[in-house]
Amino acid sequence: MIEYRNLRVALLGGGSVGAQVAALLLEHGDELANRSGAGLELVGVAVRDVEAERTPAIPGHLLTTDAESLILGSDIVVELMGGLEPARTYILQAINSGADVITANKALLATHGPELFDAAEQVGAQLYYEAAVGGAIPIIRPLRDSLAGDRVTRILGIVNGTTNFILDRMDVNGDTLEGALATATELGYAEADPTADIGGYDAAQKAAILASLAFHTTVPLESVYREGITEITAEQVDAARKAGYVVKLLAICERIEIERDGRRTGEFGVSARVHPALVPAAHPLAAVHGANNAVFVQAEAAGDLMFYGAGAGGLETASAVLGDLVSAARRHVIGGPGVAESTHANMAVLPISSVRTRYQITLKVVDQPGVLATIASLFSEHGVSVEAVSQSVSDGKNVELPTATLVIVTHEATEASLATTVAALGGNEVVSAVVSVLRVEGL
Ligand code: NAP
């Protein structure tokens, strides 16, 4: 039997993910040593309450509340506590004591990523975070390593399982948003306070991480445009299905050519946004059901790629953490500085007004001759070209002023021109209501 040198692994957190990581490390230690070229010795697990019951159980002698002592003298520190503090302080302590760090903490990376990556680079340590986006799905390493020789142009991601579960229930079962959320809570897919998920905050953190990595540019969380799913209605989902679309909450990261005075400049910027969007039923992302996640990547040479699987779950996420552990251990064995986070492209981070996409606008209009012509001219005056219009018959409720529903799909237009068009529509006397404006993605 080969004798490997031992690497000391400290685990910060023994919750849903941490307890699974501890169990797999203890169970599969020999196999992991063969793959890593080093023994991975779990030296302790820092928690808040050493008496609490854990699933799977963690041997009592490994549990401690003294995270700082555990960090000192460890070769690899795995942070699975979550939250900004004390996670940030502990990770900086670990880096400064010479350890490599593995984290699944998207909130921390999206907020303090540059500080942590700088600290790691200063001392030649590595910060691994495969589990921070898409749970079990390998997406960080493909973007960082496999696609390092290509140029990523666009990422469309379903990166929040809770909202995908809710929208999928609305689509497949015809549930209301409230009903689908209640089911998600019952089944443990939604937290007691679901704001981070349904408000799009969790997806925005992941968008910031993916955009920074894919475009070699620091994309701050504040610059990610964010809309959640709270305004999505059962009627919208139903109408989308009938028109051949599925409503999905997407995280969209794009490399965009900058325009000045309507002219292309040859310079590129980066945009990251999270919002509900209509996805054509034939697009691979439309087939992502339940709480699953998927990341659709477009690259200049590779073309279209899709990464799909479980976006959360203690055991599933532990798989990604252990993959990072093996990578970290291999680097310890081989030596060398490893790969620093790359921000060399340093492109401008663009506001949503620079984004070009297609839109579906649903209007309630006065049902009288000449209305279509008025609406069409409002679009063209604001530089938005209409691709298709469908009109439903007058709803017949108001005999004095009969109304009809118009669904208009546009060609690509900028957010800025769409916004002025919608404002003009809202102010026009033939329009009784702008019922909804949804972006159409994936065409
Ligand atoms: P969790 O179940 O809430 O576990 C957190 C653990 O950290 C608990 O063991 C807790 O101790 C410990 N802890 C919290 N604050 C601490 C402190 N100040 N000092 C010492 N220990 C502390 O969380 P989780 O679901 O495993 O998530 C961990 C990380 O993985 C988070 O960053 C999360 O975003 C990320 N992640 C989770 C999933 C998932 O499916 N769960 C998926 C992807 C990424 P006690 O047990 O004693 O309270």
Side-chain angles (χ1 to χ4, degrees), residues 403-425:
T403 58
T405 301
L406 281 187
V407 179
I408 297 156
V409 178
T410 73
H411 287 292
E412 268 198 0
T414 62
E415 285 275 337
S417 25
L418 196 274
T420 55
T421 310
V422 172
L425 287 166

Side-chain angles (χ1 to χ4, degrees), residues 84-384:
L84 299 184
E85 286 293 353
R88 171 184 156 275
T89 302
Y90 289 159
I91 288 181
L92 288 171
Q93 279 174 359
I95 288 170
N96 291 326
S97 74
D100 278 344
V101 172
I102 294 159
T103 180
N105 194 332
K106 60 234 154 191
L108 181 62
L109 288 172
T111 315
H112 294 297
E115 180 193 16
L116 301 177
F117 289 119
D118 280 355
E121 198 173 353
Q122 296 284 322
V123 297
Q126 285 281 281
L127 186 54
Y128 299 85
Y129 54 100
E130 184 62 71
V133 181
I137 305 171
I139 182 62
I140 299 301
R141 201 166 284 110
L143 285 173
R144 194 175 76 172
D145 298 337
S146 320
L147 290 166
D150 206 335
R151 193 182 266 165
V152 174
T153 51
R154 198 155 190 251
I155 296 174
L156 296 178
I158 295 175
V159 290
N160 182 272
T162 310
T163 46
N164 199 59
F165 177 86
I166 292 171
L167 293 171
D168 193 39
R169 290 281 301 195
M170 292 173 77
D171 183 40
V172 176
N173 297 36
D175 288 6
T176 60
L177 180 76
E178 295 71 26
L181 174 58
T183 309
T185 312
E186 238 169 69
L187 296 176
Y189 290 128
E191 309 265 336
D193 176 1
T195 316
D197 293 323
I198 62 174
Y201 296 92
D202 172 82
Q205 290 166 353
K206 292 164 179 169
I209 294 171
L210 289 176
S212 299
L213 181 64
F215 302 119
H216 306 277
T217 293
T218 301
V219 177
L221 182 57
E222 312 78 71
S223 64
V224 179
Y225 174 83
R226 179 194 52 77
E227 266 175 52
I229 63 163
T230 47
E231 304 297 319
I232 296 294
T233 63
E235 291 73 31
Q236 278 177 327
V237 174
D238 186 48
R241 188 180 46 256
K242 287 175 182 150
Y245 295 104
V246 182
V247 180
K248 294 287 186 195
L249 182 73
L250 295 184
I252 304 172
C253 311
E254 284 173 305
R255 183 172 174 271
I256 295 179
E257 186 167 356
I258 297 170
E259 289 184 9
R260 274 191 207 96
D261 305 322
R263 292 225 184 92
R264 299 169 67 164
T265 59
E267 282 169 49
F268 286 85
V270 176
S271 143
R273 55 196 163 106
V274 168
H275 53 72
L278 296 176
V279 176
H283 193 280
L285 287 174
V288 177
H289 295 290
N292 282 311
N293 283 16
V295 185
F296 188 80
V297 179
Q298 295 177 302
E300 277 182 1
D304 294 349
L305 305 164
M306 185 150 113
F307 302 83
Y308 167 86
L315 181 60
E316 294 84 344
T317 307
S319 158
V321 174
L322 283 167
D324 279 350
L325 251 176
V326 171
S327 293
R330 284 177 180 157
R331 193 183 81 85
H332 272 269
V333 173
I334 296 164
V339 199
E341 196 64 3
S342 142
T343 53
H344 68 87
N346 197 21
M347 286 189 266
V349 180
L350 305 174
I352 186 135
S353 54
S354 319
V355 165
R356 292 183 75 85
T357 188
R358 296 152 68 113
Y359 304 85
Q360 186 207 62
I361 299 125
T362 306
L363 303 173
K364 277 251 185 275
V365 296
V366 177
D367 193 7
Q368 64 189 30
V371 166
L372 263 183
T374 308
I375 300 284
S377 67
L378 275 177
F379 274 86
S380 78
E381 271 165 32
H382 293 91
V384 179

Side-chain angles (χ1 to χ4, degrees), residues 11-20 45-54 58 63-67 79-83 85-87 90 103-108 130-136 191 202 205-206 310-318 321:
L11 211 51
L12 310 182
S16 305
V17 185
Q20 296 288 355
V45 183
V47 293
R48 276 177 301 213
D49 176 4
V50 292
E51 304 297 333
E53 209 174 293
R54 301 178 188 280
I58 298 175
L63 294 169
T64 173
T65 53
D66 186 359
E79 185 276 308
L80 296 169
M81 298 191 315
E85 286 293 353
Y90 289 159
T103 180
N105 194 332
K106 60 234 154 191
L108 181 62
E130 184 62 71
V133 181
E191 309 265 336
D202 172 82
Q205 290 166 353
K206 292 164 179 169
L315 181 60
E316 294 84 344
T317 307
V321 174

